Amino acid sequence: MAIIKGVEHLRIEKQKRQKAESIKESKKEVKDQAEARQKIALWVVQHFEGPEPIKEIKVGKIKSYGILGSGGSAVSVMINNNERYIIDGISVREDGDVIGGAMYDDSKLKYMHVPNKKRDLSEILVKYWEE
């Protein structure tokens, strides 16, 4: 009887430890995703300007393509919560570093690709965008 209780106790302790590790990993993942969104938003601010100042950038989920991400990763963003101001297919690494260009419709977007590395995210709200 004591052996069964001891085994049961060990099983419960192992489950608790696994749950704690899982929570720790998900908190790290959330933090990493937030940092990636900041990098992507900064890239948008430094590369686009338009008819109205950028006040808000919503960054979608980084999506991987191909088998195990072999097709690369990309993300979409929306500027100022306006569906006309969407930039799709920004090529990124999983950590949010932008490695390529983006696809956008000049006739709709009204934001021009104008690189300006001096701009920052001050006074710009960065949010997660569920597409």
Side-chain angles (χ1 to χ4, degrees):
M1 187 72 136
I3 294 173
I4 294 173
K5 286 185 179 180
V7 171
E8 181 67 19
H9 175 72
L10 289 174
R11 187 180 64 75
I12 291 170
E13 288 301 314
K14 182 178 178 183
Q15 286 176 340
K16 286 180 183 177
R17 193 171 43 253
Q18 287 174 337
K19 186 176 180 180
E21 288 172 5
S22 176
I23 290 170
K24 184 178 177 182
E25 286 176 13
S26 36
K27 284 182 180 179
K28 182 184 181 314
E29 186 177 330
V30 167
K31 181 182 176 208
D32 291 347
Q33 289 174 5
E35 289 173 2
R37 280 195 297 278
Q38 292 290 320
K39 288 180 184 180
I40 293 163
L42 179 61
W43 182 86
V44 169
V45 166
Q46 290 179 341
H47 286 83
F48 289 89
E49 61 182 47
E52 54 190 73
I54 298 174
K55 300 275 188 204
E56 176 183 58
I57 297 176
K58 289 186 175 182
V59 181
K61 181 180 179 185
I62 296 174
K63 296 179 182 174
S64 296
Y65 300 99
I67 299 171
L68 299 174
S70 62
S73 300
V75 69
S76 298
V77 299
M78 182 188 307
I79 299 172
N80 292 339
N81 202 27
N82 189 330
E83 289 186 9
R84 291 181 305 160
Y85 303 150
I86 294 176
I87 304 171
D88 283 320
I90 300 172
S91 298
V92 295
R93 292 189 179 97
E94 287 297 320
D95 65 357
D97 287 336
V98 177
I99 56 175
M103 297 180 288
Y104 54 94
D105 184 352
D106 285 339
S107 63
K108 284 183 177 178
L109 187 61
K110 306 261 191 292
Y111 277 82
M112 303 301 294
H113 185 263
V114 182
N116 180 354
K117 298 283 184 180
K118 294 179 183 176
R119 297 183 68 194
D120 60 22
L121 292 175
S122 60
E123 300 181 22
I124 296 176
L125 182 61
V126 179
K127 291 182 175 180
Y128 175 68
W129 174 31
E130 289 193 41
E131 302 172 64

